[in-house]
Amino acid sequence: MTNLPVTPGFNEQTGVATLTFNRPEVLNAIDVPMAQAFHQAVNDLARKPGLRCVVLTGAGRAFMAGGDVASMSGSTVQAREAVNGMLDALIPAILKLRAIDAPVIAGVKGAAAGAGLSLALMADLIVAEENARFLIAYNGIGTVPDCGGTWFLPHKIGSARATEMMVLGRTLSAIEAKQLGLVAEVSPEETFDEVLAATVNRVANGPTRAFGAFRRLVDDAHGSPLDVHLEAERQAFLKATETADFAEGVSAFLAKRPAAFSGR
C-alpha cells in the first residue's frame, strides 16, 4: 500500500476500479488532503473507458472512522475552514460517483462511522465483514451528518430508524445492518475478500448502463409524483433498448442462455 491518502486501482480487463482510504494509523479518518485525493481519484476513474464497477475500501482495521476531528479543533474559523475544505472536495466527488453508470460497492471492515457511514451509504451495495459496525457518531460532537448521511440513511432504512440512530447514537452490528436492509452481504473475516470479490464480479458483469439508469430512477422516485416517475421510467426503458446489453439480454433470454453483458 502506498502513502497516498486514497489509493486508486483499475483493472482494464474487468473494468473494476478500487479506491482505498489509506490512513490506517487514524482508522482512515478523513481530512482535507484525503478528501481532495478522493475527489481527484473519482474524477480520474470517471474518465476510464470500460468502467464497470467501483469498489470503496479502507486500509487496515476500519473502513473509515469519520472526519478527522482534530483538524476541526481550535476556533470557529478553523473549524469552518476544515469542514468547508473537506466538503468542497467530497460533495462533487459524491455527485460524480452517483452520476456514473458503474455501480459502487463498499467493502466494510471495522467501523463505518460519521462521514465513513455516509460514504458507505452512498454506495449501491455494502458488503460487510461480520465484525463491522455502523454508527452516525455526529451527535457525539454536537453536529449533524454530512456527505449525504441524512439523505441516504432515511432512504435506505426509513426515517424512524434513521432518527433513532441519529438521536440515540445507536451502533448497528453487521447483522443488524443486514436485517434493516442497509447491508447486502455479511461475511466471516476469513472469507470476506472472497465474498466481496464474488459480489463485485457479479455486478461488474451486469448491464452497466441499465444499472446507472436504475439508480437514477430510484433516487428520483422519492421526490417525484407518480405520473412524472412513470414517464421517467418509460424514457429510461426506451433509452436502454438502444444499448448492446439490451440486445444481448433479449437474445440470451430467448435462447435460454446466460447473458454476456459488455457494459455498452
Side-chain angles (χ1 to χ4, degrees):
M1 194 69 67
T2 71
N3 291 324
L4 294 172
V6 175
T7 306
F10 182 65
N11 186 317
E12 294 183 359
Q13 291 184 324
T14 64
V16 175
T18 57
L19 295 177
T20 304
F21 301 115
N22 188 29
R23 296 182 74 210
E25 69 281 2
V26 289
L27 300 181
N28 300 317
I30 193 163
D31 59 5
V32 173
M34 178 187 270
Q36 292 172 340
F38 182 61
H39 185 200
Q40 183 61 56
V42 169
N43 281 338
D44 290 345
L45 71 85
R47 293 191 290 267
K48 296 284 188 185
L51 182 66
R52 306 290 300 277
C53 183
V54 179
V55 185
L56 303 180
T57 62
R61 297 184 294 115
F63 178 77
M64 181 187 290
D68 189 338
V69 177
S71 70
M72 307 174 208
S73 63
S75 68
T76 301
V77 172
Q78 289 173 309
R80 289 176 64 88
E81 286 179 351
V83 172
N84 279 326
M86 286 185 273
L87 293 181
D88 283 348
L90 289 172
I91 289 173
I94 291 166
L95 293 175
K96 175 80 73 174
L97 279 175
R98 295 295 291 182
I100 64 176
D101 288 336
V104 179
I105 298 176
V108 177
K109 293 182 178 180
L117 175 60
S118 296
L119 290 171
L121 293 171
M122 178 267 301
D124 297 291
L125 297 173
I126 298 174
V127 177
E129 193 265 326
E130 63 184 356
N131 292 319
R133 57 194 188 279
F134 302 84
L135 62 155
I136 290 289
Y138 292 89
N139 57 317
I141 59 170
T143 186
V144 300
D146 53 12
C147 298
T150 58
W151 195 90
F152 292 115
L153 190 60
H155 278 58
K156 294 198 173 186
I157 66 173
S159 58
R161 290 192 176 102
T163 299
E164 178 186 350
M165 286 186 68
M166 286 186 277
V167 174
L168 299 181
R170 182 181 174 193
T171 298
L172 298 179
S173 68
I175 296 298
E176 289 172 323
K178 189 175 191 310
Q179 290 171 340
L180 290 176
L182 202 64
V183 165
E185 297 284 348
V186 176
S187 170
E189 181 179 1
E190 59 271 18
T191 59
F192 174 76
D193 290 342
E194 289 82 0
V195 172
L196 176 60
T199 303
V200 170
N201 182 64
R202 179 176 178 181
V203 169
N205 284 294
T208 310
R209 291 175 62 184
F211 285 157
F214 173 75
R215 180 204 291 138
R216 288 186 285 275
L217 286 167
V218 171
D219 285 352
D220 292 345
H222 299 279
S224 299
L226 179 59
D227 59 338
V228 172
H229 190 72
L230 289 170
E231 188 59 33
E233 285 180 333
R234 184 229 298 262
Q235 295 304 321
F237 195 110
L238 292 174
K239 189 171 183 179
T241 65
E242 301 169 5
T243 67
D245 278 343
F246 180 80
E248 166 61 12
V250 171
S251 176
F253 179 84
L254 294 176
K256 295 182 173 56
R257 61 172 175 80
F261 293 118
S262 65
R264 297 191 298 272

